[in-house]
């Protein structure tokens, strides 16, 4: 199943249903259109790699709505210590074209990160 998102409420609902079912969606960001899947669904991630002809050693960027939505994807406490800078960067530049590479939690499948210990996170701005 594939859905194309045009930012209308009906399209967003349809895209969410498609993602929950393991399908692919096309979506706008402030720089390009992306093709995406539910990042925590390893089978869907493999389908995305196949559809794009993308090599498995090339990690994906996980899109989130806001930094708070990424907490369970993080492998470190980014509220304190040296990682609190990451939270400040997100607060200053998200939504927008900034990708943050941070330690990942065990919830993030190896398929997303190419087996790396980090995950790339981004909260694209709404081109709407």
């Amino acid at each position: 199943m594939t859905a194309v998102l045009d930012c209308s409420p009906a399209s967003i609902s349809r895209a969410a249903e498609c993602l929950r079912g393991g399908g692919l969606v096309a979506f706008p960001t402030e720089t390009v259109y992306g093709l995406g899947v539910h990042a925590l669904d390893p089978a869907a991630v493999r389908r995305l790699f196949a559809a794009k002809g993308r090599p498995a050693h090339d990690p994906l960027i996980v899109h989130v709505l806001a930094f708070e939505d990424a907490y369970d994807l993080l492998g470190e406490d980014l509220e304190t210590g040296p990682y609190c800078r990451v939270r400040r960067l997100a607060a200053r530049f998200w939504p927008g074209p900034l990708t943050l590479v941070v330690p990942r939690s065990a919830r993030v499948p190896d398929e997303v990160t190419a087996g790396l210990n980090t995950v790339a996170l981004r909260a694209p701005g709404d081109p709407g």
Side-chain angles (χ1 to χ4, degrees), residues 43-64:
V45 172
R46 288 190 297 273
R47 280 192 290 283
L48 175 67
F49 275 85
K52 294 179 78 172
R54 185 181 180 118
H57 65 270
D58 189 6
L60 296 175
I61 297 172
V62 176
H63 289 182
V64 296

Side-chain angles (χ1 to χ4, degrees), residues 65-88:
L65 184 59
F67 190 74
E68 292 74 22
D69 299 314
Y71 283 160
D72 63 344
L73 307 177
L74 306 173
E76 300 282 341
D77 179 4
L78 298 184
E79 295 292 330
T80 61
Y83 294 109
C84 67
R85 284 182 242 142
V86 172
R87 187 177 192 355
R88 287 196 308 264

